């Protein structure tokens, strides 16, 4: 058999080509799927945090406390409203014994919830906002913001990337129903 014929026979051989190709592509496919899972998990936690902050801000804005007008933070009921709003943000309801929305929101990798209020002059806002709160004066706007350490599946540490925080913020006009 000539050398030329051996070379052509080697080139035409395709019996194990699929196995070799799969062996070469499999590690890349595995890394891609793990990265996709990590990204999906991060998006899921961001969605939960955004929903928790929105629900907490809506709770605070419509709470039935005896807060009268701006600034709300100077009134005695403000501290209780902040406590209740934080519980709603962490647990999804007012039951302080309810499980956390994300179990890893405890300990050193917990969640930081901030409840603030700002007094807005309705004449300076476009479009003009109306509210029964404030009795024609400044209107209280309650903002709930939160940041939490991302608790991933571990791919970031394997790749050598540092952990990051997910953040969310939502504001509502206080109506005090």
């Amino acid at each position: 058999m000539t050398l030329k014929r051996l070379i052509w026979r080697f080139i035409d051989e395709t019996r194990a080509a699929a196995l070799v190709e799969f062996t070469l592509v499999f590690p890349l496919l595995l890394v891609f799927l793990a990265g996709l899972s990590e990204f999906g998990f991060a998006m899921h936690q961001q969605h939960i945090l955004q929903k928790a902050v929105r629900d907490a801000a809506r709770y605070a804005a419509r709470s039935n406390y005896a807060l009268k007008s701006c600034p709300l933070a100077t009134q005695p009921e403000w501290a209780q409203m902040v406590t209740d709003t934080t519980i709603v943000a962490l647990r999804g309801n007012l039951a302080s014994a309810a499980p956390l929305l994300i179990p890893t929101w405890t300990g050193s990798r917990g969640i930081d919830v901030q409840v603030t209020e700002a007094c807005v002059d309705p004449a300076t806002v476009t479009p003009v906002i109306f509210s029964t709160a404030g009795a024609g004066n400044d209107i209280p706007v309650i903002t709930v913001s939160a940041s939490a350490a991302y608790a991933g599946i571990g791919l970031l540490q394997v790749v050598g990337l540092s952990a990051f925080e997910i953040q969310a913020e939502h504001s509502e006009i206080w109506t005090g129903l």
Side-chain angles (χ1 to χ4, degrees):
M1 199 180 263
T2 65
L3 182 61
K4 185 176 180 181
R5 178 169 259 177
L6 275 173
I7 291 173
W8 278 108
R9 188 173 173 195
F10 178 74
I11 290 173
D12 288 340
E13 186 63 50
T14 59
R15 280 187 282 184
L19 180 62
V20 171
E21 290 170 1
F22 178 74
T23 304
L24 292 173
V25 172
F26 182 70
L28 296 174
L29 183 64
L30 197 60
V31 168
F32 176 73
L33 289 174
L36 192 62
S37 297
E38 189 83 46
F39 179 74
F41 197 60
M43 291 299 294
H44 176 69
Q45 284 190 13
Q46 172 64 33
H47 175 73
I48 289 174
L49 186 65
Q50 184 66 43
K51 184 177 176 247
V53 165
R54 183 192 66 215
D55 291 346
R58 287 181 179 170
Y59 167 80
R62 288 153 182 84
S63 62
N64 196 16
Y65 291 102
L67 301 170
K68 301 295 180 229
S69 61
C70 267
L72 300 177
T74 60
Q75 300 177 34
E77 295 86 0
W78 175 256
Q80 184 60 45
M81 189 181 78
V82 169
T83 301
D84 291 346
T85 302
T86 303
I87 291 171
V88 169
L90 291 172
R91 302 180 186 281
N93 58 40
L94 277 174
S96 58
L100 295 170
L101 293 174
I102 294 181
T104 58
W105 284 353
T106 60
S108 63
R109 295 181 53 93
I111 182 173
D112 180 34
V113 178
Q114 298 292 323
V115 181
T116 59
E117 59 106 11
C119 297
V120 177
D121 182 4
T124 62
V125 179
T126 303
V128 177
I129 55 175
F130 297 98
S131 173
T132 57
N137 299 324
D138 291 345
I139 296 174
V141 177
I142 296 176
T143 301
V144 178
S145 59
S147 63
Y150 169 65
I153 58 176
L155 181 66
L156 293 177
Q157 289 79 17
V158 171
V159 179
L161 297 174
S162 61
F164 60 92
E165 286 196 356
I166 52 176
Q167 300 175 346
E169 180 178 285
H170 190 80
S171 297
E172 291 279 334
I173 295 173
W174 181 73
T175 57
L177 296 177

